[in-house]
Amino acid sequence: MLHSTPLTPLDELMTRWPFSPGAAGLAITCQGPAPTPARITALVRERWGAIPRLSWALTPRGRPRPARRHAWVHHRDFDAAQQIVHESGTETFEQLVSRLMTESFDQDLPPWRLHTLPEPDGSEFTLLLRTHHSLLDGRSLVTLLRTLLDAAAQPPAPRTAPAEQRALQRFTSVVRALRASSVPGTAVPMPDQGVTAPAYACRPVPTEVFGRARTALPGRATTVTEVFLAAAAGTLRAGLDPWPSCSSSGGGERPVFVTVPMDTRPAGHGHRLGNEFGAIRVAVPAGTDDPLARLAACRGLIKPTEHQATLRFADALLHALTAVGPRLVSAVLAPSYAPAYSAACCSSLPLPGEGLAFDGRPLRRFRGFPMVPPHGTATFVLLGCAAGYTLNVATNSCSGDARLLADTLLRELHLLAAPALAPAAHGAP
């Protein structure tokens, strides 16, 4: 066993998530019967066995535990094969995820597992990578899954870094963000269907629906994120219909806010593993009646250059608070877990590449689940690959809420695509 390393402030923050054990995961589903357990083990050892971070185990550092930071302990004798769990296939994917969302990790092993889930008829199989969020963020999970797939020697190109702001611009961005974070928001009632419990639901989204929605407005095509936020705004509006005064259109009314995670890795370091993200708070047009008007209002809502300055400031603040004591971080962040502060979290991740496969079996679906969200809120996760998109929803209210919200958001996406789909349906050019 090697020396221990204290967690970064963001890693430490993830260990103190108050609503669940902190598990999150991404999954790939491939066509055909699953490879044998021995073959999967061999590929995992070959492709993941030499990745240092996957050998890290989480351990308390000092006593009492709540007042001290944790540490990573590196194991020399780590074997990635110990982390593979072969499921029997008696559960559906949604049932498996619902169980794993609230299942703790064995403290003596690194906090990640690769679950294999075959379909009983042998038509397809799923590999679900589940980790504690203190170990890896969503971008890291994508990187690992991409590495596990065949022909991973050619990873996707890193994103271009946004243009750097001048000092005065950075200061202005931070001041604007601090003002926005203090604006009171509107709590959106959840559907409250079923027994109170964390829940998960997943829906496939046809690729053409997103394509049509992106071109539904004149001028430049809207981004995937803008379409996603517009659909989320419509979904949240559905819960506010009895209270039409709760809009985001001014007049002193309280807006509906959502949080949007953003990757903070610098250009050229997109495949660095760990937790390197921040979250911004934005008001979405939930008070707007027309779906296309909501989409227009979401154009330009995410401003990467401005938000990067805010995220750098937030990271510096987190480091300062953690130096005083981890419990102070939890106390300072507690108000941000309230539904009125953020009704939902909207996160999107792509799995780039064409012709992706695992041991020669073509990739067919890309799904996943986030940490259990704060009580009375929802997390919407949009995952995309060459085979299409999936909408993944997690709630922490009633067991039927995730399914109802997923259905509503899918309907909103179809409404955004409808103007562009209508001419095609009538044979128009």
Side-chain angles (χ1 to χ4, degrees):
M1 183 176 293
L2 301 178
H3 66 279
S4 63
T5 303
L7 272 66
T8 67
L10 187 53
D11 291 352
E12 182 68 33
L13 176 62
M14 294 295 98
T15 69
R16 297 168 184 272
W17 188 246
F19 307 102
S20 71
L26 292 180
I28 52 174
T29 297
C30 298
Q31 180 180 334
T36 65
R39 177 61 176 165
I40 293 176
T41 297
L43 290 173
V44 170
R45 279 179 173 151
E46 173 190 333
R47 298 172 181 179
W48 284 356
I51 300 176
R53 194 172 183 93
L54 294 184
S55 69
W56 293 0
L58 188 66
T59 182
R61 188 169 180 261
R63 295 291 188 270
R65 180 175 177 177
R68 300 292 297 274
R69 290 171 65 179
H70 294 73
W72 294 117
V73 176
H74 311 258
H75 291 270
R76 280 196 183 98
D77 56 353
F78 168 73
D79 183 356
Q82 295 178 322
Q83 307 294 111
I84 303 174
V85 180
H86 298 288
E87 303 290 345
S88 63
T90 57
E91 293 177 298
T92 66
F93 179 78
E94 287 192 2
Q95 289 171 336
L96 175 64
V97 167
S98 296
R99 171 167 62 86
L100 297 179
M101 284 174 68
T102 56
E103 190 173 286
S104 299
F105 289 94
D106 185 341
Q107 292 186 352
D108 295 328
L109 294 172
W112 68 271
R113 302 291 183 275
L114 181 69
H115 298 262
T116 68
L117 180 68
E119 287 296 323
D121 62 1
S123 60
E124 60 184 26
F125 65 96
T126 298
L127 301 176
L128 169 61
L129 174 59
R130 179 177 69 107
T131 77
H132 196 288
H133 212 320
S134 61
L135 184 70
L136 300 164
D137 59 14
R139 184 73 184 276
S140 299
L141 291 175
V142 171
T143 296
L144 284 173
L145 284 179
R146 186 66 181 81
T147 305
L148 186 62
L149 293 171
D150 302 342
Q154 297 179 346
R159 298 179 305 173
T160 302
E164 181 64 28
Q165 288 182 311
R166 296 178 179 177
L168 180 58
Q169 290 175 313
R170 290 197 299 271
F171 176 77
T172 303
S173 297
V174 169
V175 170
R176 188 180 296 115
L178 290 174
R179 287 176 178 173
S181 66
S182 65
V183 174
T186 296
V188 177
M190 293 290 104
D192 289 336
Q193 299 292 317
V195 179
T196 301
Y200 167 82
C202 179
R203 297 290 184 270
V205 183
T207 303
E208 64 270 18
V209 169
F210 254 99
R212 298 286 184 176
R214 292 189 62 190
T215 59
L217 295 176
R220 71 163 179 86
T222 50
T223 66
V224 170
T225 298
E226 290 165 349
V227 171
F228 184 30
L229 289 176
T235 302
L236 296 173
R237 176 180 172 79
L240 288 172
D241 274 346
W243 299 277
S245 62
C246 296
S247 77
S248 57
S249 56
E253 299 163 344
R254 291 187 173 187
V256 174
F257 286 98
V258 302
T259 52
V260 181
M262 296 185 69
D263 184 24
T264 58
R265 291 167 175 82
H269 297 273
H271 298 89
R272 192 162 61 194
L273 300 182
N275 276 299
E276 297 190 48
F277 72 96
I280 60 172
R281 182 190 189 221
V282 296
V284 293
T288 303
D289 293 329
D290 181 60
L292 290 184
R294 290 196 290 270
L295 182 58
C298 287
R299 269 185 169 174
L301 192 60
I302 302 298
K303 304 177 179 65
T305 303
E306 179 176 314
H307 294 320
Q308 286 296 330
T310 305
L311 294 175
R312 283 195 295 269
F313 173 79
D315 184 63
L317 180 61
L318 180 61
H319 276 77
L321 292 174
T322 305
V324 177
R327 285 190 294 188
L328 177 61
V329 177
S330 300
V332 170
L333 292 180
S336 67
Y337 299 143
Y341 182 84
S342 175
C345 175
C346 297
S347 180
S348 60
L349 288 167
L351 180 61
E354 298 286 340
L356 300 179
F358 177 75
D359 200 28
R361 280 82 164 171
L363 175 66
R364 287 290 175 259
R365 276 179 289 173
F366 182 35
R367 295 175 285 183
F369 69 96
M371 292 191 300
V372 175
H375 298 294
T377 71
T379 298
F380 304 135
V381 181
L382 179 70
L383 299 175
C385 66
Y389 295 92
T390 62
L391 174 64
N392 305 264
V393 179
T395 58
N396 195 7
S397 46
C398 293
S399 57
D401 290 359
R403 175 180 51 80
L404 291 173
L405 290 172
D407 289 340
T408 303
L409 207 156
L410 183 60
R411 184 169 62 249
E412 289 293 325
L413 288 173
H414 279 273
L415 287 175
L416 293 173
L421 286 172
H426 290 85

